[in-house]
Amino acid sequence: MTRTDADVLIVHGGLPLQGEVRVRGAKNLVPKAMVAALLGQEPSRIRNVPDIRDVAIVKGLLQLHGVAVQPGEEPGELILDPQNVERANVADIDAHAGSSRIPILFCGPLLHRLGHAFIPDLGGCRIGDRPINFHLDALRQFGAVVEKRPEGLYLEAPQRLRGTKIQLPYPSVGATEQVLLTAVCAEGVTELRNAAVEPEIIDLICVLQKMGAIISVHTDRVIRITGVERLGGYDHRALPDRLEAASWACAALATSGDIYVRGAQQKDMMTFLNVYRTIGGAFQVDDSPEGGIRFWHPGGELKSIALETDVHPGFQTDWQQPLVVALTQAGGLSIVHETVYENRFGFTSALRQMGAVIQLYRECLGGTPCRFGQRNYLHSAAIYGPTKLQGAELVIPDLRGGFSYLIAALAAQGTSTVHGIDLIYRGYENFLDKLKGLGANFELP
Ligand code: EPU
């Protein structure tokens, strides 16, 4: 089954998902590595590229700026040649407005290559306000002049950008990447404090180091970057998508199934695996070169848990939504405190409609108080289970919430109609074929 324009899926639930899926390169690394190629004076090669919408968006934006993007020899390989980088037509760039959050990362590379940049309005999942103040403050500190206009952002670098000291108010993934992609070619040393250190960021640092950058990662979230005059190309195999892997793991648990996730890597999923085991899920790591992790429901009742999402090495926020679906099948009261996004529980209203018992709270339930505690956001959830889910009419709200609805529909008794499945292609390659291979019963109307 290839990608389809149909946006609705009819799902007949109640069957355990069983079989094997493969995860490829991480959605939250590959598009950023593609942006990094803009900084090089020579072509770059990225391997293990998933066929997802975020990759297509960045490919389109790179091409608008004169980067030649060609498939390589092996499947999932792209060659990016940035030797003729040029100014793009603003109207053409603007056609990408609202499509993704990645365009904001073009700022530093375009300022280095062209001295100016235009960035359209951003898209991405509506799971909170998602401001870009950290990005813009950092760019200004490097010496960029930023002008906000109704159609987007205009930036200029009247002189070569200069290294600086930056302290992020929160370890933001995107802002850390912004600083890395800007500092590598800035004059002098940049010291970034309170940086995010997610595995995808370390992989981006590996990409930049291959290109000739000098970056050192210190304890306590400090990263130092010594700017260089010139970067070359890279040849890099993207790290596997630990977020997609966890989604399939939760699907195995929620449907009482058994899924071998080829490509999943233990070291980037340790926090998730601890939680999986604590709630009664079983897994087995296969460390062979073509290996992965097998996830399954070992029988009996799952156990409830109290956890909070956090920046790495904490429990990743993108694991939260699929896990909540699995927790509807756990005995007793589970507490999930979301501390990364203020508004990532909107998807639970549809789960309630399916029979789940979930109550949202404005307070920080469980562990430590977070930034959202005093600010009136429903950012804690209490889930009481196990509850039998029933099929329902569902409208997908965002990427991870959307995949979670598919899991819920597959775990439920009866038929669900899921609208808006197109959104899932942003981050899950070929998911309809994968579901078919696992024995899911669904049809496109
Ligand atoms: N924040 C600000 N100001 C900023 C930037 C961030 O206040 O200028 C806040 C955000 O509002 C949020 C928190 O900082 O509350 C963390 O945001 P972060 O910048 O870390 O997120 P991001 O870079 O926009 C990436 C992933 C997300 C993932 C987060 C956290 C990509 C394309 N997106 O987003 O992935 O949830 O990091 O790990 O890499 C997903 O894959 O479904 C997804 C949403």
Side-chain angles (χ1 to χ4, degrees), residues 30-32 34-39 52-69 78 80-82 84-107 109-110 113-114 116-124 151-153:
V30 172
K32 296 146 187 194
M34 292 169 71
V35 177
L38 250 183
L39 287 162
I52 54 172
R53 178 97 30 81
D54 273 17
V55 166
I57 291 166
V58 174
K59 180 178 164 191
L61 273 172
L62 286 171
Q63 285 169 327
L64 284 179
H65 287 94
V67 178
V69 186
L78 287 179
L80 307 128
D81 185 347
N84 296 312
V85 169
E86 59 189 14
R87 186 177 199 138
N89 183 314
V90 168
D92 291 340
I93 306 177
D94 211 32
H96 289 74
S99 56
S100 151
R101 295 187 65 71
I102 312 288
I104 189 74
L105 296 179
F106 277 68
C107 292
L110 285 180
R113 291 299 301 260
L114 302 172
H116 51 77
F118 167 66
I119 310 296
D121 276 344
L122 301 180
E151 67 275 23
L153 290 174

Side-chain angles (χ1 to χ4, degrees), residues 27-29 31-32 54 100-102 125 127-136 170-177 196 198 200 242-243 310-312 316-318 321 339-342 344 371-372 398-400 426:
K27 159 191 162 282
N28 290 349
L29 175 272
K32 296 146 187 194
D54 273 17
S100 151
R101 295 187 65 71
I102 312 288
C125 291
I127 48 185
D129 250 3
R130 306 192 78 180
I132 50 168
N133 52 332
F134 305 165
H135 296 249
L136 300 188
Y170 182 81
S172 150
V173 167
T176 299
E177 292 159 345
E198 269 59 8
E200 293 79 11
R242 66 196 171 104
L243 310 180
D310 205 349
V311 293
H312 187 77
Q316 175 81 17
T317 167
D318 308 288
Q321 288 155 303
T339 76
V340 180
Y341 293 112
E342 67 274 26
R344 211 171 195 178
R371 302 173 287 154
F372 308 133
D398 60 75
L399 176 66
R400 307 287 167 202
R426 269 199 48 219

Side-chain angles (χ1 to χ4, degrees), residues 4 6 23 38 43 45 74 105 111 115 142 168 176 179 255 274 340 345 364 369 433:
T4 153
V23 292
L38 250 183
R45 187 184 299 262
E74 62 178 67
L105 296 179
L111 287 174
F142 280 108
L168 290 180
T176 299
V179 170
T255 64
N274 286 335
V340 180
F345 282 126
C364 300
D433 274 341

Side-chain angles (χ1 to χ4, degrees), residues 185-309:
C185 287
E187 194 181 336
V189 175
T190 296
E191 183 175 281
L192 175 63
R193 293 190 165 267
N194 208 21
V197 289
E198 269 59 8
E200 293 79 11
I201 288 181
I202 303 301
D203 214 39
L204 180 64
I205 292 176
C206 291
V207 166
L208 292 166
Q209 189 178 49
K210 284 174 175 171
M211 296 175 79
I214 301 171
I215 303 171
S216 51
V217 181
H218 302 260
T219 50
D220 297 336
R221 300 190 174 279
V222 176
I223 300 181
R224 274 194 203 91
I225 307 119
T226 304
V228 296
E229 294 276 343
R230 178 187 189 283
L231 290 176
Y234 65 81
D235 184 338
H236 189 75
R237 183 173 298 277
L239 87 167
D241 198 313
R242 66 196 171 104
L243 310 180
E244 181 184 353
S247 298
W248 292 114
C250 292
L253 214 47
T255 64
S256 298
D258 187 335
I259 304 180
Y260 184 100
V261 185
R262 198 167 287 284
Q265 254 180 32
Q266 180 184 17
K267 70 178 167 56
D268 297 334
M269 296 187 73
M270 290 180 69
T271 309
F272 176 82
L273 294 174
N274 286 335
V275 167
Y276 203 74
R277 177 167 283 158
T278 305
I279 64 176
F283 64 88
Q284 188 177 25
V285 177
D286 169 4
D287 272 338
S288 63
E290 276 295 298
I293 306 180
R294 175 186 163 209
F295 295 95
W296 75 98
H297 190 311
E301 191 169 271
L302 298 177
K303 295 188 275 290
S304 56
I305 193 170
L307 67 86
E308 54 189 13
T309 65

Side-chain angles (χ1 to χ4, degrees), residues 316-331:
Q316 175 81 17
T317 167
D318 308 288
W319 292 329
Q320 178 261 104
Q321 288 155 303
L323 186 84
V324 164
V325 177
L327 288 177
T328 65
Q329 304 310 305

